[in-house]
Amino acid sequence: MNKILFKHLESGKNLYNLKKATEGSSGFDLLAALDDKVVLTPGETKLIPCGFSLQMPLGIEAQVRPRSGIALKNSVTVLNTPGTIDADYRGEICVILINHGKNIFEIDPGMRIAQLIFMKLPEIELDVTQELDETDRGSGGFGSTGV
């Protein structure tokens, strides 16, 4: 098991219990570490602080992902999905939210706004080459295989 250190920041004290919502949950909820309500107007993007920092071992990344209920009901999602948090980052974890909807979306202090998934990264070695194996698909992309 990989140990990940979780540091409460002043804005996030008493927000987190460090448990998943259910036994079968893949991720940990990210909460809005706000003093006051934040309004996200249609088309607007805001950076929402979560009130903690992490220390992860090398070879682990954290991914910030949207909450499906907020996306479905409000058309609000994480802009850079998934947002990658590298093992050597020690700053505050934040979420970039965007309102794709037609209505104002209000973010209350302590609201569950996204989720955090931890992933083990494969060890990779890149080799420079002049040739790649041919495939049926070749360089076709962006819809080249049909709908």
Side-chain angles (χ1 to χ4, degrees), residues 55-90:
Q55 179 178 321
M56 299 177 287
L58 294 178
I60 299 291
E61 74 158 325
Q63 295 180 357
V64 178
R65 298 184 185 182
R67 294 195 64 236
S68 58
I70 292 175
L72 175 64
K73 296 174 186 172
N74 303 284
S75 299
V76 172
T77 191
V78 177
L79 185 59
N80 62 325
T81 303
T84 296
I85 300 167
D86 297 309
D88 59 351
Y89 177 68
R90 296 294 184 271

Side-chain angles (χ1 to χ4, degrees), residues 72-147:
L72 175 64
K73 296 174 186 172
N74 303 284
S75 299
V76 172
T77 191
V78 177
L79 185 59
N80 62 325
T81 303
T84 296
I85 300 167
D86 297 309
D88 59 351
Y89 177 68
R90 296 294 184 271
E92 182 171 13
I93 304 303
C94 298
V95 177
I96 304 169
L97 289 181
I98 184 167
N99 184 350
H100 287 298
K102 297 177 183 174
N103 300 313
I104 288 173
F105 182 72
E106 295 181 348
I107 304 163
D108 294 316
M111 181 179 185
R112 296 183 301 155
I113 57 169
Q115 57 184 320
L116 193 65
I117 308 287
F118 294 96
M119 300 293 292
K120 185 170 177 71
L121 299 170
E123 290 188 31
I124 301 292
E125 178 181 324
L126 294 176
D127 289 329
V128 176
T129 184
Q130 297 300 315
E131 298 294 326
L132 300 175
D133 293 343
E134 290 189 28
T135 66
D136 289 340
R137 182 177 183 172
S139 62
F142 301 100
S144 65
T145 60
V147 180

Side-chain angles (χ1 to χ4, degrees), residues 17 44 87:
N17 66 8
E44 189 175 23

Side-chain angles (χ1 to χ4, degrees), residues 1-2 4 6 16-31 50 52 54 56 61-67 85 93 95 111-119:
M1 178 175 293
N2 293 293
I4 296 171
F6 184 100
Y16 293 94
N17 66 8
L18 303 184
K19 294 180 181 175
K20 294 181 180 179
T22 68
E23 184 180 348
S25 294
S26 297
F28 294 86
D29 287 329
L30 293 176
L31 309 177
C50 294
F52 70 93
L54 294 172
M56 299 177 287
E61 74 158 325
Q63 295 180 357
V64 178
R65 298 184 185 182
R67 294 195 64 236
I85 300 167
I93 304 303
V95 177
M111 181 179 185
R112 296 183 301 155
I113 57 169
Q115 57 184 320
L116 193 65
I117 308 287
F118 294 96
M119 300 293 292

